[in-house]
C-alpha cells in the first residue's frame, strides 16, 4: 500500500515519542497488518516519505482512519452528492469496517469484522469451485473465498463505486484488486445476476446490507435467480441483518420461507453467524 494509514492510537504514540525526543519508533502504518520503523525529528514524523507534523498528529479524532498524503493527514471519508451518503473507513479493534452514513457494513460491536467473516465463510465450507459473492463491500468475504485452495473463481458485485474508493485505502482489501481469481463487477447484482449461466456456482455468499438499503436483494425474484445460477449440491449463505431484533421483528423466518418457495432445501437459521444456510439438492 502506497500511503501510510493510521488511527488516533498510532498518532498518540508518535506524539508521545516525539515529545520524549526519541529519534525513531516502530508503529503500524497499515492498521495493524505489520509494524515498521518511523524516523522522528523535532516536530515531525516521517511516515512513508511524508513529513507529518506533531500538530497534525495531535488533531486526529477517534473512530477515523487517516492517510498521510501531501504532507497532511487526510481522513478516509467523504460525502457523495450522487448517492447522498457519507462513506467512511471506521477502525475497529481488528479489521476496519465501512460505514454508509453511519450504518456499519460489518458486525463490529460484540464480534469484529474479521471474526464474523470467518464465521460466514465457515458456513459454506469447504469453499470450492466457482463462487458468487453478491455484495463486495470491502471485499473481505470475496478475498476469503478466493484464498480457499479449491476455489477457481469468485464473481463479485458492488453497486457503488464510492465503496471501492474506500476499499482502495484499506490495507485489508488489497487482495480484492490483485487476486486473479476475483472478478469484480461494478454493477447492481439484481441486474447482473440475470446474465449469469444456469447451474454454474458451487457456493454463493449473499451478504447484503439492511433491507432499507437494498430491498430488492430480499425479493423472491432475486432468490429465484440465486437458485437458478447454483449447481446441484451448491450451498448458499444468506446473512440476515437484524436491526429489528430488539423490536421483536426478525428477518430470517420470512427469508427461509421465500428460499424454500423458490426451491432451496434444508434452509436453517444459524444464530451465531446470523444467517441462513440453504442447499440446492
Ligand atoms: C454488508 S456489505 C458487504 C460486505 C462484504 N461482504 C465484505 O466482506 O466486506 C454490502 C455491500 O453491498 C453493496 N450493495 C448494496 N446493494 C447492492 C446491489 N444491488 N448490488 C451489488 N452490491 C450492492 C453495498 O454498497 C455494500 O458495499
Amino acid at each position: 500500500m502506497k500511503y501510510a494509514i493510521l488511527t488516533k492510537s498510532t498518532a498518540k504514540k508518535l506524539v508521545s515519542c516525539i515529545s520524549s525526543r526519541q529519534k525513531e519508533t516502530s508503529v503500524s502504518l497499515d492498521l495493524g497488518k505489520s509494524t515498521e520503523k518511523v524516523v522522528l525529528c523535532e516536530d515531525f514524523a516521517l511516515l512513508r516519505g511524508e513529513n507529518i507534523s506533531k500538530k497534525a498528529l495531535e488533531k486526529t479524532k477517534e473512530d477515523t482512519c487517516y492517510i498521510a498524503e501531501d504532507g497532511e493527514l487526510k481522513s478516509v471519508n467523504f460525502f457523495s452528492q450522487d448517492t447522498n451518503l457519507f462513506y467512511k473507513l471506521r477502525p475497529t479493534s481488528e479489521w476496519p469496517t465501512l460505514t454508509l452514513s453511519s450504518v456499519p457494513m460489518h458486525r463490529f460491536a460484540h464480534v469484529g469484522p474479521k471474526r464474523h467473516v470467518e464465521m460466514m465463510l465457515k458456513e459454506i465450507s469447504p469453499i470450492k469451485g466457482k463462487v458468487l459473492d453478491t455484495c463486495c463491500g470491502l471485499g473481505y468475504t470475496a478475498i476469503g473465498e478466493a484464498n480457499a485452495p479449491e476455489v477457481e473463481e469468485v464473481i463479485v458485485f458492488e453497486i457503488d463505486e464510492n465503496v471501492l474508493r474506500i476499499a482502495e485505502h484499506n490495507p485489508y482489501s488489497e487482495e480484492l484488486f490483485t487476486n486473479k481469481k476475483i472478478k469484480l463487477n461494478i454493477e447492481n447484482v439484481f441486474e447482473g445476476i440475470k446474465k449469469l449461466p444456469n447451474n454454474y456456482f458451487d457456493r454463493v455468499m449473499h451478504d447484503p446490507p439492511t433491507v432499507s438499503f437494498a430491498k430488492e436483494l430480499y425479493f423472491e425474484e432475486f432468490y429465484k435467480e440465486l437458485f437458478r445460477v447454483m449447481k446441484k449440491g451448491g450451498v448458499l449463505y444468506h446473512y440476515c441483518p437484524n436491526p429489528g431484533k430488539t423490536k421483536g421483528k426478525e428477518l430470517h423466518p420470512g427469508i427461509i420461507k421465500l428460499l424454500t418457495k423458490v426451491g432451496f432445501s434444508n434452509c436453517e437459521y444459524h444464530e451465531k453467524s446470523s444467517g441462513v444456510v440453504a442447499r440446492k439438492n
Side-chain angles (χ1 to χ4, degrees):
M1 188 128 312
K2 197 176 160 202
Y3 299 110
I5 177 160
L6 63 151
T7 57
K8 184 169 182 67
S9 67
T10 307
K12 260 171 111 173
K13 179 172 175 188
L14 291 169
V15 168
S16 142
C17 293
I18 292 171
S19 301
S20 60
R21 306 211 170 273
Q22 287 183 39
K23 292 273 174 281
E24 63 173 42
T25 187
S26 280
V27 288
S28 177
L29 297 179
D30 54 11
L31 304 180
K33 256 183 130 177
S34 64
T35 53
E36 58 198 271
K37 271 199 181 131
V38 165
V39 172
L40 308 168
C41 41
E42 227 164 86
D43 271 328
F44 286 89
L46 188 63
L47 308 181
R48 296 193 180 170
E50 297 285 340
N51 258 328
I52 302 297
S53 69
K54 185 180 169 203
K55 228 179 192 168
L57 292 164
E58 281 167 342
K59 277 192 194 157
T60 52
K61 294 183 190 144
E62 296 286 355
D63 298 334
T64 305
C65 296
Y66 295 87
I67 57 163
E69 188 184 20
D70 303 329
E72 290 172 46
L73 287 181
K74 299 179 181 172
S75 50
V76 186
N77 53 43
F78 60 88
F79 176 75
S80 160
Q81 279 186 334
D82 294 339
T83 60
N84 206 28
L85 290 172
F86 186 72
Y87 299 80
K88 179 174 179 174
L89 187 67
R90 188 192 195 282
T92 77
S93 56
E94 27 115 310
W95 294 354
T97 184
L98 157 76
T99 58
L100 304 186
S101 295
S102 301
V103 178
M105 291 293 116
H106 305 89
R107 286 170 90 182
F108 76 94
H110 304 296
V111 183
K114 176 176 186 281
R115 180 76 196 102
H116 187 232
V117 164
E118 284 166 359
M119 281 195 248
M120 293 196 291
L121 294 173
K122 208 168 161 215
E123 299 284 21
I124 54 165
S125 288
I127 311 179
K128 55 179 187 169
K130 299 183 168 68
V131 183
L132 170 64
D133 193 308
T134 59
C135 293
C136 180
L138 294 180
Y140 294 156
T141 49
I143 293 167
E145 289 143 11
N147 281 326
E150 285 181 68
V151 165
E152 293 157 34
E153 70 172 332
V154 179
I155 296 188
V156 58
F157 286 86
E158 173 54 57
I159 195 171
D160 189 344
E161 254 178 299
N162 296 305
V163 166
L164 300 175
R165 272 180 64 196
I166 293 283
E168 275 163 10
H169 290 303
N170 177 17
Y172 296 95
S173 299
E174 215 172 332
E175 253 195 86
L176 178 62
F177 307 102
T178 57
N179 191 315
K180 297 249 177 334
K181 287 190 204 170
I182 301 178
K183 314 272 169 2
L184 175 58
N185 298 283
I186 306 169
E187 188 181 2
N188 182 346
V189 68
F190 188 79
E191 297 305 329
I193 198 168
K194 295 175 188 164
K195 300 172 218 158
L196 298 174
N198 292 346
N199 309 313
Y200 189 76
F201 293 100
D202 298 275
R203 297 289 183 267
V204 175
M205 173 61 69
H206 185 39
D207 181 18
T210 53
V211 181
S212 55
F213 268 100
K215 61 176 184 307
E216 73 272 26
L217 301 187
Y218 297 82
F219 285 173
E220 182 180 336
E221 187 186 340
F222 185 68
Y223 294 163
K224 271 187 190 158
E225 286 297 306
L226 289 179
F227 188 77
R228 180 186 65 77
V229 299
M230 275 172 75
K231 278 184 195 164
K232 270 193 178 173
V235 186
L236 162 77
Y237 177 78
H238 184 329
Y239 175 64
C240 307
N242 243 337
K245 197 174 177 184
T246 44
K247 296 172 208 148
K249 197 172 168 274
E250 294 188 300
L251 280 179
H252 63 88
I255 291 173
I256 288 179
K257 210 168 152 188
L258 281 182
L259 290 177
T260 309
K261 190 173 171 198
V262 302
F264 283 101
S265 317
N266 311 92
C267 304
E268 270 180 18
Y269 178 61
H270 292 183
E271 193 174 356
K272 220 169 160 195
S273 68
S274 187
V276 172
V277 180
R279 284 163 204 282
K280 179 167 174 176
N281 288 336

